[in-house]
């Protein structure tokens, strides 16, 4: 049975299937389609021709623009029709033509999007990806299956992130970049086959990071770029140095030393 809050506004041409849950203050525009296992929390807006299907949950205050397709099945040949889901957080802006797929059994069964993201026109989030808070995918950026994108990451237009890659908090990926390996927190990656070119200093300053932490991060990057031994060995030495007193430097060290299915982009 369909559960529609009486304060919701649904255009007569929209199709809201039996079983859907529509929260208070939702607005569903002309020619939208909402599937039977969809939950729209309070104040969600679907603009005309948006499709939300599958076992999908859209968080409070999110807006989905025309021709977006949210919650359809994965683009994965291994997908065999298993019941998997997509969970989208609060206050996301999902622009025209964006696609977000549900998970697969082999990947944990769930694709998850955090809060306050901006997904510009034509962006794609594949099966079993984990997207953090305040993430921006610029026009036609694509995140492949099983990726982990931490908070405050920006992925430039026409860029692609290879499956299983992790991108650490606060990193920035330049436009038209192919990312095939993990990216350290606050890293800057750009180029057709992206290399680690520095730190996202502009983003750090915009977020009000203390000057002492930025100085420590710059010194830590130089140590990672020019030190002796393997990349992970250099990261371990950071933890033993005075630079390890910075929480931001420790975050990079912990990221590099954590489990990974891909190797790391190095300076």
């Amino acid at each position: 049975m369909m559960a529609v809050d009486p304060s919701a506004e649904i255009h007569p041409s929209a199709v809201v299937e039996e079983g859907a849950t529509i929260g208070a203050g939702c607005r569903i525009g002309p020619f939208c389609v909402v599937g039977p296992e969809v939950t729209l929390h309070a104040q969600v807006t679907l603009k005309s021709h948006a499709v939300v299907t599958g076992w999908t949950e859209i968080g409070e205050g999110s807006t989905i623009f025309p021709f977006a397709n949210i919650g359809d099945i994965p683009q994965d040949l291994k997908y065999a029709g298993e019941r998997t889901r997509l969970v989208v957080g609060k206050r996301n802006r999902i622009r025209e033509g964006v696609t977000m797929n549900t998970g697969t059994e082999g990947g944990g069964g769930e694709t998850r999007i955090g809060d306050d993201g901006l997904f510009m026109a034509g962006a794609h989030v594949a099966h079993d990806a984990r997207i953090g808070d305040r993430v921006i995918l610029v026009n036609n950026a694509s995140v492949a299956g099983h990726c982990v994108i931490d908070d405050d990451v920006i992925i430039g237009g026409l860029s692609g992130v290879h499956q299983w890659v992790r991108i650490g908090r606060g990193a920035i990926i330049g436009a038209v970049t192919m990312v095939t390996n993990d990216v350290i927190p606050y890293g800057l990656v750009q180029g057709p086959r992206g290399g680690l070119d520095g730190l996202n200093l502009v983003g750090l300053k915009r977020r009000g990071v203390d000057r002492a932490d930025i100085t420590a991060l710059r010194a830590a990057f130089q140590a990672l770029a020019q030190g002796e031994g393997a990349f992970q060995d250099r990261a371990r030495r950071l933890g033993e140095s005075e630079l390890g007193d910075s929480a931001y430097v420790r975050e990079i060290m912990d990221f590099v030393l954590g489990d990974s299915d891909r190797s790391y982009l190095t300076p």
Side-chain angles (χ1 to χ4, degrees):
M1 181 177 180
M2 184 164 57
V4 179
D5 189 278
S7 64
E9 300 177 11
I10 302 175
H11 192 275
S13 65
V15 176
V16 179
E17 297 188 50
E18 289 291 332
T21 299
I22 311 299
C26 287
R27 293 184 295 173
I28 300 176
F31 305 106
C32 291
V33 176
V34 179
E37 293 187 289
V38 169
T39 297
L40 304 182
H41 288 282
Q43 306 299 324
V44 169
T45 297
L46 305 186
K47 294 182 178 286
S48 66
H49 297 84
V51 174
V52 184
T53 187
W55 182 17
T56 297
E57 181 177 342
I58 307 295
E60 178 180 345
S62 294
T63 300
I64 301 177
F65 284 72
F67 303 106
N69 188 330
I70 308 302
D72 222 322
I73 64 173
Q75 299 178 86
D76 185 340
L77 293 175
K78 298 186 297 298
Y79 180 72
E82 60 266 29
R83 187 170 182 264
T84 57
R85 68 189 306 224
L86 167 68
V87 179
V88 176
K90 300 176 181 178
R91 299 177 301 277
N92 284 286
R93 287 168 289 171
I94 300 172
R95 296 303 303 251
E96 296 84 354
V98 169
T99 53
M100 296 178 175
N101 296 154
T102 58
T104 63
E105 184 177 19
E110 181 178 275
T111 304
R112 182 169 287 271
I113 312 293
D115 299 336
D116 300 299
L118 172 58
F119 302 86
M120 296 188 191
H124 173 65
V125 178
H127 58 89
D128 307 297
R130 300 286 189 272
I131 309 293
D133 297 338
R134 300 174 299 280
V135 168
I136 299 174
L137 267 61
V138 183
N139 302 77
N140 296 298
S142 294
V143 174
H146 313 284
C147 288
V148 177
I149 312 298
D150 287 340
D151 297 346
D152 301 304
V153 168
I154 299 174
I155 300 177
L158 295 167
S159 294
V161 183
H162 193 283
Q163 62 183 355
W164 298 104
V165 160
R166 299 182 303 148
I167 299 181
R169 183 163 72 107
I172 185 167
I173 310 301
V176 199
T177 297
M178 181 63 207
V179 183
T180 56
N181 300 95
D182 290 352
V183 178
I184 61 172
Y186 316 109
L188 165 64
V189 174
Q190 56 189 349
R193 284 285 175 176
L196 187 61
D197 287 343
L199 296 170
N200 182 14
L201 296 174
V202 172
L204 290 166
K205 292 173 182 176
R206 284 176 177 170
R207 285 193 292 277
V209 175
D210 188 80
R211 182 182 295 272
D213 282 309
I214 292 178
T215 299
L217 280 168
R218 295 181 78 163
F221 183 84
Q222 289 300 315
L224 286 172
Q226 300 175 359
E228 296 181 356
F231 194 62
Q232 289 187 327
D233 293 334
R234 298 176 217 168
R236 290 190 184 93
R237 287 198 295 273
L238 279 179
E240 299 167 358
S241 70
E242 292 182 357
L243 295 174
D245 293 339
S246 167
Y248 291 87
V249 173
R250 288 199 305 274
E251 185 174 355
I252 291 177
M253 180 189 68
D254 292 342
F255 183 92
V256 173
L257 298 178
D259 293 334
S260 175
D261 292 290
R262 304 288 297 176
S263 58
Y264 297 89
L265 287 176
T266 56

